[in-house]
Structures are given as C-alpha cells and as structure tokens.
Amino acid sequence: MTDLDKVVSKAIAEFGGTNDAAELERIKARYLGKSGALADAMKGLAKLAPETRREVGARVNAAKNRIETALVSRRDALAAAHLDARLFEEALDVTLPGRGRGRGGVHPVIRTWQRVEAIFGSIGFDVADGPEIETDWYNFTALNQPENHPARSMHDTFYVEGGLLLRTHTSPMQVRYARTHQPPIKVMSTSVSPT
C-alpha cells in the first residue's frame, strides 16, 4: 500500500512547480487518472479485510480531496496569472500625451465640384440649390410633363407620403429660381450641395 501523505505532498509540490496549464493536467492524470497513484491505492482495497478497508478507503478519499483542492487552487492561480499578464500587456497608459486629431482634406470629387461652381460663378452664373424632397408640381407639372409621362411612374420615381417625392432631376431648382429672380437668368443647378 502506498504512503498517501507522500503522494499528496508530491502531487502538491508538482502542481506548484508548473506554470503551464497543459502540464498541470498531465500531472493531475498521474495522481487522479485511471492509472494514477490513487487508482492503484483504490485497487488494493479489495484485498483488505472489511474493517481495514473502510479505514483505508476513508484515508484514500481524504487524500483525493486534498489533491483535488490543491489542483483547483493551482488552476485558479494560473488563470489569475494569465489574466494579469494579459492586462499588463494590453494596459493603456493614460498619462501619455494624446495623438491629436488627424487633419482631413476635401474629397477630390467635391474639390472638382467646387472648382466647376467657381468657374461658372466667375462668368456670372448663380448656383441654385434646393430641397431633396420635392412636390409633384415643382418636379413635373411646372416643367410641362404630362400625367402619363414615364418619369411619373412608380418604378421611376420614389414617392413619399403627402404627395411628395424624392427629386428626380435638377430642373425643380431652375423653376424655384425663376420664380424668385428677374430675367436675365444665368443659373447652374446642382443635385446636392458640396458644402
């Protein structure tokens, strides 16, 4: 029969001597596995007398509990050490100076758009800008498009509630501009304002 106190001491020492979770599980198998030291002790119980078997069985169970307690404790310690190491690696030093804001720039398409508007403005054109959601009157009727015009169909125009629709072209701004300004009119219409 093996000396259980020595087995427990050796298991606890080996648990404490490793910092690797996989190695810890291999050590556990040596003591608590099917062919481990405590399994050998349990096999020897069958050869003992009934009164001795009860006493030795209780000692084996107590040794098993001590080993399992030490194993759980070591697993927790390794998990805590792993977490501490990750937290240390990923730590953010809030005392460092900030990175500052990156400077942005105007998109090349918007820059080109602004240049076109500036060129037309330099030769006397105004830029007409208007709402994205229009009434049927400004979008179609004021431009003499009949009721049966294909652009008015539901698959060509996106209608919203209240007789409004998403503007389908820039001509509604020309109508709006013509209603508020005196001729001669030189106007450039945009679909969306670049600024």
Side-chain angles (χ1 to χ4, degrees):
M1 184 107 228
T2 53
D3 184 2
L4 294 176
D5 290 333
K6 284 183 182 177
V7 170
V8 170
S9 298
K10 190 174 177 188
I12 291 172
E14 287 188 37
F15 291 160
T18 184
N19 291 322
D20 182 27
E23 179 63 23
L24 184 66
E25 296 306 315
R26 286 191 285 276
I27 295 169
K28 170 198 162 199
R30 269 187 268 167
Y31 293 98
L32 300 175
K34 288 183 180 179
S35 60
L38 290 183
D40 290 342
M42 293 297 271
K43 290 176 189 171
L45 290 177
K47 300 175 187 168
L48 299 175
E51 51 282 341
T52 311
R53 186 180 318 150
R54 187 176 302 123
E55 178 190 329
V56 173
R59 285 184 31 229
V60 170
N61 284 335
K64 181 179 176 185
N65 289 340
R66 286 172 53 201
I67 291 174
E68 286 175 345
T69 301
L71 175 66
V72 169
S73 174
R74 187 61 184 158
R75 277 183 186 149
D76 292 345
L78 288 178
H82 178 70
L83 178 62
D84 288 344
R86 271 191 65 203
L87 290 175
F88 181 75
E89 288 174 12
E90 299 172 8
L92 176 65
D93 187 358
V94 295
T95 62
L96 291 174
R99 294 189 179 127
R101 288 194 149 165
R103 292 192 50 176
V106 178
H107 192 277
V109 171
I110 301 299
R111 194 176 313 128
T112 302
W113 192 335
Q114 290 170 340
R115 285 183 60 204
V116 167
E117 286 183 357
I119 290 168
F120 274 90
S122 70
I123 57 175
F125 281 76
D126 286 333
V127 176
D129 191 24
E132 296 293 319
I133 298 178
E134 269 297 357
T135 63
D136 184 81
W137 191 86
Y138 278 110
N139 205 67
F140 297 120
T141 307
L143 299 169
N144 293 326
Q145 290 184 349
E147 291 290 327
N148 61 351
H149 193 281
R152 288 184 181 234
S153 65
M154 294 300 263
H155 67 275
D156 281 345
T157 301
F158 189 77
Y159 288 90
V160 293
E161 293 179 8
L164 300 175
L165 54 104
L166 294 184
R167 190 177 67 215
T168 59
H169 45 83
T170 60
S171 298
M173 273 96 67
Q174 295 167 7
V175 173
R176 287 177 180 274
Y177 193 87
R179 292 186 64 170
T180 58
H181 293 80
Q182 294 295 321
I185 294 175
K186 290 169 66 174
V187 66
M188 174 184 148
S189 297
T190 61
S191 60
V192 180
S193 176
T195 53

